[in-house]
Amino acid sequence: MLKIIVKEGENIDRALKRYKRKFKDVKMLQQLRERKQYVKPSVLRRAEVKKAAYKEQLFKED
């Protein structure tokens, strides 16, 4: 659970901005999306290999 302590005299917009930044840094939304459905480890591994091959191909073109 994320906690943002609003300091005395601090603008609420500033505190909200800190919350959003912390939320993004923790990658909470990404975790929630991943947990929505189960993906087999073999499928995850296959996707990683495919992504790595794509990146390697991009660098070879340069």
Side-chain angles (χ1 to χ4, degrees), residues 2-45:
L2 295 175
K3 292 184 182 180
I4 300 295
I5 300 170
V6 181
K7 299 170 186 162
E8 189 173 328
E10 183 181 20
N11 189 354
I12 192 71
D13 291 328
R14 182 82 173 142
L16 187 60
K17 185 175 183 179
R18 284 194 300 133
Y19 174 78
K20 287 180 180 180
R21 187 180 316 125
K22 194 177 230 185
F23 187 84
K24 182 180 155 193
D25 290 344
V26 174
K27 298 184 180 180
M28 189 175 291
L29 192 59
Q30 182 179 354
Q31 289 176 0
L32 290 173
R33 286 181 179 156
E34 286 174 358
R35 292 179 185 177
K36 257 185 167 177
Q37 59 188 12
Y38 179 74
V39 180
K40 291 177 15 178
S42 60
V43 174
L44 283 175
R45 179 70 183 137

